[in-house]
Amino acid sequence: QVQLVESGGGLVQAGGSLRLSCAASGRTFSGYAMGWFRQAPGKERLFVAAVTWSVGRTYYADSVKGRFTISRDIAKNTMYLQMNSLKPEDTAVYYCAAASVLRLGVLANEYNYWGQGTQVSVSS
């Protein structure tokens, strides 16, 4: 079965950087879109960024444009989210997700598979 495992979260000072990883297994992901979502305490799960697995087309939420970069290493079956210039409002649990269609969707229900999340905390 498809399995997604996030790592790389932690505590960082405002203005700092973190790199999240999502290790994917169980299937060849050609034809898939993959993305990152985040959810702060008491708030809804929101779109962050997405990438098509084979071609590498990307899309970003306005709140992270210019600060975050999504990428993937096909040979390693791993997706990354490089987060720079972090702000306290970036604090959330970050989730890796995959969809079996070439859509860079922004709604959580457009994705078929999910990891269990990794905590990112940014102090002011």
Side-chain angles (χ1 to χ4, degrees):
Q1 63 177 353
V2 172
Q3 184 176 22
L4 305 175
V5 180
E6 303 95 335
S7 62
L11 176 64
V12 66
Q13 190 175 5
S17 298
L18 284 173
R19 189 195 197 196
L20 305 184
S21 298
C22 173
S25 62
R27 184 165 299 183
T28 299
F29 291 94
S30 59
Y32 275 63
M34 298 186 69
W36 291 94
F37 288 74
R38 65 188 183 186
Q39 187 168 22
K43 297 185 178 180
E44 61 185 338
R45 190 170 299 184
L46 297 176
F47 173 78
V48 176
V51 62
T52 57
W53 191 251
S54 295
V55 177
R57 183 164 57 94
T58 59
Y59 186 71
Y60 297 90
D62 288 342
S63 60
V64 305
K65 285 181 179 178
R67 299 190 298 122
F68 292 9
T69 303
I70 189 171
S71 62
R72 79 277 183 270
D73 186 327
I74 295 174
K76 295 181 178 180
N77 279 351
T78 302
M79 180 175 66
Y80 304 97
L81 185 68
Q82 178 66 48
M83 305 185 294
N84 299 325
S85 301
L86 282 162
K87 305 174 181 180
E89 50 263 46
D90 295 318
T91 295
V93 176
Y94 283 70
Y95 295 90
C96 174
S100 57
V101 294
L102 289 174
R103 288 174 53 87
L104 297 179
V106 301
L107 299 178
N109 62 14
E110 298 180 57
Y111 291 79
N112 306 110
Y113 308 102
W114 293 85
Q116 292 190 328
T118 186
Q119 177 70 49
V120 172
S121 299
V122 184
S123 61
S124 60

